[in-house]
Amino acid sequence: MSKKWKPVAVNPDEADDFELEPDTIEPDVETPVQPQQKASSTQAQQQSQGQGGSSSFFNFSNFVSPNIDLSQSFNPLLKNEQVREHAFTGGDTLDEPVWKTLERDFKAIGQRLLSVMWPASLSKLAKIQQHNLLIAARNSGINVGINFDQLGQDLEQDIANTPLDDSDLKKLAWDLWGPLLFTLVFAVILGLMSPEANSSEVFSGVFAIVWSTLAVIAVNIQLLGGTISFFNALSTTGYAMFPLLLLAITSIFIKWSFIRFILYVILVAWSVYAATVNLKVHGVLPGRVFLAIYPVGLVYATLGWLCVIT
Amino acid sequence: MSEPQTFTDRIKQSSHPLALLFFLGFRIGAPVAYALGMFFTKSFILEFITVILLLAADFWNVKNISGRLLVGLRWWNETDDNGESIWVFETANPDRQINPVDSNIFWFWLYLTPFVWGVMGILAFLKLEFLSLILVIIGLTLTIINTMAFTRCDKFGKANDLASSVFGTVSGSMFGRLVPSFFRGNQ
């Protein structure tokens, strides 16, 4: 919102200076301690003792706080959702007038919608973001299966010509207003076009299915790594549903299935393209964009097909 | 605050009567529309949309308008360069006078509505109304997110003197035991 998003700032020149310092492990020369003291020692100390293989007799606190740390197993899932909190240090927005709050949110929604309606406007930004992510991935040792040097040379010239503009990146703030309205209208249209008897079942079924599949997709995208968060992925895939909404609206008026099918192909392709560009901008790792977009394409194709056959 | 007061008296004592009315309208409107919707319309779709939009409006209104006008708190969530999620808490200057009427009403309804949705969720489950259960789950999620975020924001900033607010202290400490440690603090 108020804090501008900045791309991953990694200087490629510093990448070569990256070296591992050897860990200096102190030998475990601790004198045997009383059990009472041991029970009150911190968990970190217990872990170091366990690794050192020192005197480890029955210790009650091992049952209370076991040394096996399961959080490592869920690391890929939790990585992006680690919560830090800090106090707001920018200007005072607590006393701003209500219309200013409204205006800011409407502008953010408009930017987001624009990025879906005209994805090509983001393509340059996507290129730069992908380049930055590639450098960051290389520096942190993630293999994305792309020859860096070749791609880097292609992109370096582009980036030299077009300096990064921060103002383009502020549309990265996610919101769920668009997805909410899109799924509501989409479900209403499908519900009203189905037979009268079960229209409410169709409506709530479509609504629930769209949201749950979007959530599953967002988890998938987040697990693939990169700097995208769960809600950002949810928002991105939800906003990219906009062409499907157009498809649903046109299917009210056009009953001829051949034209419906042509529209289906065009609009689903548009949706998938918009989602691809937006996901690239919001931080999916370069070699994994296809893995991220594949289930999204399947869901869009299925949802679009509902509009064709209804 | 213990002496009986009429609703209009409370509104008159408020520093932000319009914000208070909107707050109460959306807060109470969504559960009421859910509970009584079928008396006014036979269409489930219409009821569903009304409740969803009221819930979304309530969520946005509490998060962005009511919180900062009534108790001087604001929270949001943003993503940093590494994709980590950060909770940002903004609290008013301690010198700023928080109207006790505003504060009491805000905290009372902030904690009450999740319970109301929880009760309606149990009822919907017992009546096997699974379509309505979708609505209840959405309502529960949205209201609980706001409650937890504002509780944390309040604890984080300590701008609001909770001791002066009966509802704030009682339900705040009770809530602190119920919520997972994820939302309670940064330990």
Side-chain angles (χ1 to χ4, degrees), chain B:
Chain B
M1 291 309 298
S2 56
E3 72 266 25
Q5 283 176 310
T6 62
F7 179 70
T8 43
D9 281 346
R10 280 172 184 263
I11 294 291
K12 273 176 195 162
Q13 284 180 11
S14 165
S15 310
H16 301 278
L18 197 61
L20 196 64
L21 282 176
F22 267 98
F23 170 73
L24 287 174
F26 286 131
R27 273 272 111 167
I28 304 171
V32 167
Y34 170 80
L36 305 179
M38 288 316 245
F39 290 115
F40 293 108
T41 170
K42 286 276 158 275
S43 162
F44 177 75
I45 296 181
L46 194 63
E47 193 208 339
F48 193 98
I49 292 173
T50 313
V51 176
I52 285 271
L53 289 182
L54 277 172
L55 275 173
D58 172 57
F59 182 79
W60 186 87
N61 178 47
V62 170
K63 178 176 174 290
N64 290 309
I65 308 287
S66 307
R68 65 185 171 88
L69 289 183
L70 298 183
V71 288
L73 299 172
R74 191 183 215 180
W75 66 272
W76 67 85
N77 187 288
E78 61 187 25
T79 316
D80 75 347
D81 299 358
N82 301 319
E84 260 185 55
S85 128
I86 306 173
W87 294 84
V88 185
F89 298 127
E90 192 182 5
T91 48
N93 191 338
D95 300 338
R96 177 172 145 168
Q97 189 66 38
I98 303 288
N99 190 320
V101 175
D102 290 347
S103 169
N104 281 351
I105 292 180
F106 179 83
W107 290 110
F108 178 71
W109 285 99
L110 193 69
Y111 288 113
L112 185 68
T113 28
F115 285 108
V116 172
W117 282 110
V119 169
M120 290 197 291
I122 294 168
L123 287 180
F125 185 76
L126 292 179
K127 288 197 277 185
L128 301 177
E129 291 172 345
F130 291 110
L131 294 186
S132 309
L133 209 55
I134 299 174
L135 267 182
V136 175
I137 289 169
I138 295 168
L140 210 51
T141 317
L142 289 180
T143 48
I144 283 180
I145 287 174
N146 250 332
T147 307
M148 285 179 170
F150 271 110
T151 308
R152 263 178 82 178
C153 188
D154 191 39
K155 277 184 185 169
F156 191 73
K158 295 287 179 208
N160 201 15
D161 186 12
L162 269 182
S164 71
S165 154
V166 177
F167 297 123
T169 24
V170 173
S171 41
S173 58
M174 272 173 59
F175 216 81
R177 287 166 214 276
L178 293 177
V179 298
S181 62
F182 174 76
F183 275 105
R184 229 184 293 153
N186 49 0
Q187 69 262 21

Side-chain angles (χ1 to χ4, degrees), chain A residues 76-87:
Chain A
L77 186 63
L78 297 173
K79 194 198 77 182
N80 286 345
E81 293 301 321
Q82 279 169 356
V83 172
R84 287 195 285 126
E85 49 188 37
H86 68 83

Side-chain angles (χ1 to χ4, degrees), chain A residues 17-33:
Chain A
D17 303 336
F18 186 74
E19 56 183 35
L20 285 172
E21 285 185 22
D23 287 346
T24 50
I25 300 171
E26 302 260 336
D28 203 343
V29 292
E30 197 179 357
T31 51
V33 288

Side-chain angles (χ1 to χ4, degrees), chain A residues 95-104, chain B residues 19 60 65 68-69:
Chain A
D95 291 320
E96 68 180 10
V98 173
W99 63 263
K100 211 171 171 186
T101 314
L102 274 170
E103 186 195 13
R104 194 176 48 224
Chain B
W60 186 87
I65 308 287
R68 65 185 171 88
L69 289 183

Side-chain angles (χ1 to χ4, degrees), chain A residues 104-122:
Chain A
R104 194 176 48 224
D105 281 15
F106 272 118
K107 266 188 185 165
I109 293 171
Q111 291 274 20
R112 200 94 204 204
L113 202 56
L114 195 72
S115 74
V116 172
M117 287 202 285
W118 190 242
S121 66
L122 284 182

